[in-house]
Amino acid sequence: MTALVSRDIDYTHDGTRMIGHLCAPAGSESLPGVLLIHDAFGLSDDMIATARRIAEDGYAVFAADLWGERRLPLAESEIGPLIESLAGDRARWMARVAAARGAAAAQPEFDGSAIAVLGYCFGGSTALEYVRTGGAVHGAVSIHGGLDLIEFDWSAPAPAASVLVCTGADDPMAPAEALTRLTDAMSAAGVDWEVDLYGNTKHAFTNPKAAHSPTPEVIAYNPRSAARARESSMRFLGGLIPGPRPATS
């Protein structure tokens, strides 16, 4: 198993304290970096475990805290207003991502010139929007991102970037018409994009807790699709910002 360094990182945006988390191979500096964006449930232990898995492949990983104060909402009554507070103000939404990116790049483990963004669910939507609006990353991975939250105008100047979308064919938050609009818009803008579309797969398919979803017609765990998305995302990152495989101990 790869020895990792792991620590919380305080940063701020618009007067709000954010508590991100860094994972990286121990003793390393200036590694290609992954900015990890959490799902609607915040920067949870599950997200930190995901950060550790990515770091074991040789990357510095900074798990952002979009909600602030490491808030972990549990109920839809909490989640809805949090999402709306950012999706309803896209400048604020992207500024929060940029603040996390700045905090990540300031860490000695990060090569600030080689960063990609990867997100799950709301984080997947966030990753797409950050690239669409010219975020300073080489590319984005969106895993079961809500395409119902994104915009489709990719005409603004943006750095050359690549995009991987891993999504379920039966995800009501990423309907076929929205996926087509997204790929058409990216093609028109000259974005290098890839879509992995998984059959018999709904929203939040990577989350084992979704196996007990009260709304299985919307949210359901699919371990096969989860494994394929994990494999695709690491392959994609390896081609985009290749990182050295650290020695195992």
Side-chain angles (χ1 to χ4, degrees):
M1 181 177 293
T2 304
L4 300 178
V5 62
S6 182
R7 64 180 181 270
D8 285 347
I9 305 291
D10 275 27
Y11 61 107
T12 61
H13 171 255
D14 196 25
T16 299
R17 180 191 182 210
M18 328 297 281
I19 310 171
H21 189 83
L22 178 137
C23 296
S28 298
E29 291 189 356
S30 298
L31 289 171
V34 176
L35 180 61
L36 179 65
I37 311 295
H38 59 71
D39 59 17
F41 296 99
L43 182 47
S44 63
D45 289 345
D46 291 340
M47 279 290 123
I48 291 175
T50 296
R52 293 182 66 85
R53 285 196 298 270
I54 297 171
E56 286 173 351
D57 274 323
Y59 295 96
V61 184
F62 187 89
D65 174 22
L66 286 192
W67 298 150
E69 297 287 354
R70 194 66 70 80
R71 184 170 179 178
L72 300 175
L74 297 176
E76 184 61 36
S77 59
E78 297 177 78
I79 291 170
L82 284 171
I83 290 176
E84 179 55 31
S85 72
L86 295 185
D89 184 345
R90 288 176 192 270
R92 181 169 177 259
W93 186 8
M94 294 301 102
R96 287 227 164 165
V97 183
R101 193 245 182 248
Q107 306 309 310
E109 293 86 355
F110 266 76
D111 176 355
S113 67
I115 298 180
V117 60
L118 185 155
Y120 291 79
C121 294
F122 179 72
S125 309
T126 301
L128 291 172
E129 284 294 278
Y130 192 56
V131 169
R132 185 186 70 81
T133 56
V137 289
H138 285 266
V141 178
S142 172
I143 300 178
H144 48 76
L147 303 187
D148 52 348
L149 293 175
I150 67 172
E151 293 188 349
F152 299 97
D153 181 1
W154 287 69
S155 62
S162 297
V163 171
L164 169 65
V165 177
C166 298
T167 190
D170 305 309
D171 183 349
M173 299 180 193
E177 57 271 22
L179 184 59
T180 297
R181 286 188 68 190
L182 172 62
T183 56
D184 285 351
M186 290 191 295
S187 291
V191 174
D192 176 37
W193 61 266
E194 175 182 339
V195 171
D196 284 10
L197 184 63
Y198 307 127
N200 300 310
T201 302
K202 298 181 173 62
H203 193 63
F205 61 81
T206 64
N207 189 345
K209 294 176 182 176
H212 308 291
S213 168
T215 55
E217 70 281 3
V218 177
I219 294 172
Y221 178 50
N222 187 314
R224 176 167 168 74
S225 295
R228 288 186 289 184
R230 184 162 52 248
E231 180 179 352
S232 286
S233 61
M234 298 316 299
R235 170 191 53 75
F236 181 83
L237 290 173
L240 187 65
I241 49 167
R245 279 290 300 177
T248 57
S249 58

